[in-house]
Amino acid sequence: MTPAIRTATAADMAYVFTSWTRDSYRMLEWECSTSKRGRAPAYGLYRPLFEALQRRVLAKAKVIGAANPDDEDQILGALVYEPGTTPVIHWSGSKREFEGLPINAALYEHAGISFDKPAIHSGGMPPLRKREGEVTTLRCRLPKPWIYVPFGLMP
């Protein structure tokens, strides 16, 4: 199935907020457990702080969604990014039940983001590993021309 890519709808944004927050918190938990910095704060404390950060990012970012081509109301995944000569990727993800489909790859292609050109990944779980055309959001290396700057570009 080739997803239909479109500007995110209000319904899509609920998925984006929830999934982006969850992914970011999981990354924080993982970083705390591997760096011996202590424990991550309770999710109830983390969530409102991260949501304030999301609102600041979304004030300048674009959000596109991947939808089921047969049912545009069914969101498959989304991408939060700032386009430009060097795009800034804030978050991307696809629903677990659609893993294995080239959803993230279609989102990146639609946004004009290439693995072979410079880009900045600013937060969440830095992707990226190509696996049969799919971009997975696993903790692994970024493509060589990309850099990881965790929310370092915030004003």
Side-chain angles (χ1 to χ4, degrees), residues 9 24-25 31-32 35 53 62 65 71 77 84 95 99 110 118 123 126 131 134-135 144-145 154-155:
T9 65
S24 176
Y25 187 73
E31 287 173 347
C32 287
S35 69
L53 181 62
K62 289 188 174 190
D71 179 4
K95 288 190 171 181
E99 286 180 3
H110 183 84
R131 180 174 34 178
E134 171 65 356
V135 178
K144 281 195 175 192
M154 293 300 298

Side-chain angles (χ1 to χ4, degrees), residues 2-80:
T2 301
I5 308 297
R6 55 173 165 64
T7 300
T9 65
D12 296 345
M13 292 308 294
Y15 162 75
V16 168
F17 273 107
T18 301
S19 299
W20 185 7
T21 303
R22 183 196 61 231
D23 288 351
S24 176
Y25 187 73
R26 286 181 181 163
M27 185 68 172
L28 176 65
E29 286 182 313
W30 179 81
E31 287 173 347
C32 287
S33 70
T34 59
S35 69
K36 300 183 182 172
R37 291 183 195 161
R39 293 184 349 198
Y43 186 74
L45 296 173
Y46 178 81
R47 185 176 175 188
L49 296 172
F50 189 74
E51 286 176 351
L53 181 62
Q54 285 174 314
R55 284 190 293 278
R56 289 176 65 190
V57 168
L58 291 170
K60 59 184 180 175
K62 289 188 174 190
V63 183
I64 55 174
N68 181 335
D70 298 325
D71 179 4
E72 290 260 338
D73 292 332
Q74 183 183 32
I75 182 82
L76 309 177
L79 171 65
V80 179

Side-chain angles (χ1 to χ4, degrees), residues 9 32 37-38 45 53 55 58 73 82 84-86 88 90-91 100-101 110 112 117 121 125 134 140 147 149 152:
T9 65
C32 287
R37 291 183 195 161
L45 296 173
L53 181 62
R55 284 190 293 278
L58 291 170
D73 292 332
E82 292 176 53
T85 306
T86 303
V88 179
H90 294 291
W91 178 81
L101 296 175
H110 183 84
K117 295 181 181 169
H121 198 286
M125 299 175 85
E134 171 65 356
C140 50
I147 61 171
V149 181

